[in-house]
Amino acid sequence: MTEHVLVLNAGSSSLKFCVYGRLRHGPWRAEARGQVEGIGTAPRFKARAADGKVLAEQTLDASVRDARAALDALAAWLRTAYAGARVLGVGHRVVHGGSRHAGPAVVTPALLEELRGLTPLAPLHQPHNLAAIDALTERMPGVPQVACFDTSFHRGQPVVAELVPLPREIRSAGVQRYGFHGLSYEYIASVLPQVAPEIAGGRVIVAHLGSGASLCALRAGRSVDSSFGFTALDGLCMGTRPGAIDPGVVLYLFQTLGMTAGQVEALLYKKSGLLGISGLSNDMRDLLKSTDAAAKLAVDFFVYRAAKEIGALTAVLGGLDALVFTAGIGENSPEVRARISTASAWLGIDLDTGANRAGGPCISRPGSKVSAWVIPTNEELMIARHTSSLLGLD
Ligand code: ADP
């Protein structure tokens, strides 16, 4: 009999899902993935098989306005597509686990209360993640759930890496560097011993370059620092977020330009980064195709910031053995990989242009002092594995 684990990633307007299945105690394999998108505006449901074949695609009733209704739509599809199958557990991506959770946790009423208390630290994501847990608790009360945090993998970093240098009373209100994209980095660290055993125990920088972008410094597979800080606004230039900027700019926006908190939030999360610089698009593909000078500047800045931060994290690691590219841009753009690797050539990266064009996994020449790699990330599989392990299904 086939057993299943459901992975959910709930955002403000979408509920992404992935169904994992296995034959008794075999490895978990993704069988279907998809999403309810346009929640509250023009809801649609889409599901694909692992090979990309479309399994379902439909416009949903406009009454699909929240996580509860989205989950009902997903459950209705699961009941027909997986009639008679058993869902053994549900794993959720939860953006914030605070300073306490260094790993995933089984959902209990006490955990939920604790996670609700972290909402001010991630107001744009945490409420939606928790709404999906609430909806599932209500609709499928017998199914155990696991919360997998984007912050957990970074716990255990040196004190100086987590510190935000403000007075103690501000820090005790939760102001510290948490780091994010942790499930992605944890997945990469988990596959390094198979994919690239020669670097798994060494000093590695992983570049997660997607619409959100960050770097993580790994020593022997553990996070010692990352470019994201208190929020996912820090560090690298992103699709619509600026990355690190002088906090004096934010004061200027409030005090001199008279912007409201809502306007500043929208500026920093939705209108800056590649979109803000180019005035054209937040999508790297559009910018690489464009001949516009501002689009070119956006790509130049993206590469400049990544290379600068790679230098900083190399200093943290006391040298570098390997650079790993992952996520949408990192996995799919030979041009961006080549440009970042060339800008980091001083570290000893000798790029193999043919291997880079072919997509790796190893994209540096034999004998390169620092090797370079392309390794696809898989946050959903990481969540499925955690869910299975915490619920005692392994
Ligand atoms: P998310 O953070 O939303 O999970 P992804 O990791 O899926 O993001 O990355 C999405 C981004 O990857 C897109 O916005 C696009 O800029 C970029 N991307 C995808 N394919 C390519 C490609 N072939 N070349 C350049 N950029 C790409």
Side-chain angles (χ1 to χ4, degrees):
M1 180 188 170
T2 317
E3 300 175 326
H4 293 93
V5 160
L6 180 64
V7 171
L8 295 180
N9 180 359
S12 59
S13 67
S14 72
L15 176 70
K16 295 188 182 139
F17 70 91
C18 193
V19 181
Y20 283 85
R22 69 172 183 192
L23 293 169
R24 270 208 173 281
H25 294 290
W28 292 104
R29 290 185 204 291
E31 290 182 356
R33 65 177 70 240
Q35 59 181 325
V36 180
E37 60 184 10
I39 297 171
T41 50
R44 290 183 60 72
F45 177 82
K46 192 164 185 178
R48 289 177 185 274
D51 62 7
K53 194 176 130 229
V54 175
L55 298 171
E57 195 168 12
Q58 64 192 95
T59 302
L60 299 171
D61 195 78
S63 64
V64 177
R65 273 190 217 100
D66 57 16
R68 215 164 256 106
L71 190 73
D72 286 343
L74 169 59
W77 178 74
L78 287 173
R79 271 194 294 275
T80 39
Y82 286 85
R86 275 203 316 151
V87 176
L88 301 180
V90 178
H92 296 264
R93 179 179 193 169
V94 177
V95 66
H96 224 298
S99 55
R100 230 171 55 79
H101 290 283
V106 175
V107 172
T108 61
L111 177 79
L112 270 177
E113 203 179 311
E114 184 191 341
L115 298 182
R116 269 188 241 290
L118 298 173
T119 296
L121 298 178
L124 302 183
H125 296 99
Q126 194 86 338
H128 304 292
N129 303 156
L130 300 184
I133 299 182
D134 287 336
L136 214 118
T137 309
E138 189 187 301
R139 296 296 205 253
M140 302 182 192
V143 179
Q145 302 178 64
V146 171
C148 300
F149 308 109
D150 261 323
T151 49
S152 296
F153 186 62
H154 302 293
R155 298 292 62 76
Q157 286 177 353
V159 176
V160 285
E162 291 192 336
L163 187 76
V164 172
L166 293 173
R168 187 189 294 273
E169 62 271 22
I170 307 280
R171 284 183 277 133
S172 61
V175 179
Q176 67 164 72
R177 299 185 72 247
Y178 291 101
F180 299 89
H181 282 155
L183 292 158
S184 172
Y185 294 127
E186 188 180 8
Y187 175 79
I188 298 291
S190 79
V191 299
L192 280 183
Q194 288 87 49
V195 180
E198 61 271 43
I199 59 162
R203 300 159 299 179
V204 177
I205 294 175
V206 184
H208 177 114
L209 309 177
S211 52
S214 73
L215 302 180
C216 181
L218 298 177
R219 182 177 285 126
R222 300 186 60 143
S223 169
V224 293
D225 202 350
S226 83
S227 62
F228 273 154
F230 176 59
T231 67
L233 282 177
D234 205 355
L236 306 185
C237 175
M238 292 168 251
T240 58
R241 289 170 260 167
I245 55 172
D246 176 351
V249 173
V250 179
L251 289 178
Y252 183 80
L253 299 177
F254 281 120
Q255 294 171 340
T256 306
L257 299 187
M259 291 174 75
T260 64
Q263 288 169 331
V264 171
E265 181 181 276
L267 180 74
L268 295 177
Y269 278 97
K270 303 246 167 11
K271 300 180 186 171
S272 302
L274 296 177
L275 176 63
I277 302 168
S278 69
L280 198 74
S281 172
N282 62 337
D283 193 313
M284 185 57 87
R285 286 165 290 200
D286 297 336
L287 301 178
L288 290 171
K289 271 189 288 194
S290 172
T291 51
D292 188 87
K296 186 179 169 310
L297 178 62
V299 180
D300 287 349
F301 185 74
F302 183 88
V303 170
Y304 172 78
R305 284 291 297 127
K308 186 168 163 177
E309 205 72 28
I310 285 168
L313 288 183
T314 299
V316 166
L317 288 167
L320 190 64
D321 297 310
L323 175 63
V324 176
F325 292 97
T326 195
I329 300 170
E331 291 168 28
N332 297 303
S333 176
E335 182 174 346
V336 173
R337 289 196 301 262
R339 291 190 54 185
I340 293 174
S341 300
T342 303
S344 308
W346 65 278
L347 288 167
I349 299 177
D350 185 7
L351 192 74
D352 179 332
T353 47
N356 181 42
R357 260 198 310 277
C362 185
I363 57 169
S364 52
R365 272 191 245 275
S368 179
K369 186 168 151 272
V370 173
S371 57
W373 303 78
V374 181
I375 303 179
T377 193
N378 197 337
E379 291 149 297
E380 294 87 2
L381 180 56
M382 203 64 238
I383 296 171
R385 285 185 190 159
H386 280 316
T387 304
S388 174
S389 141
L390 257 76
L391 297 180
L393 308 175
D394 287 353

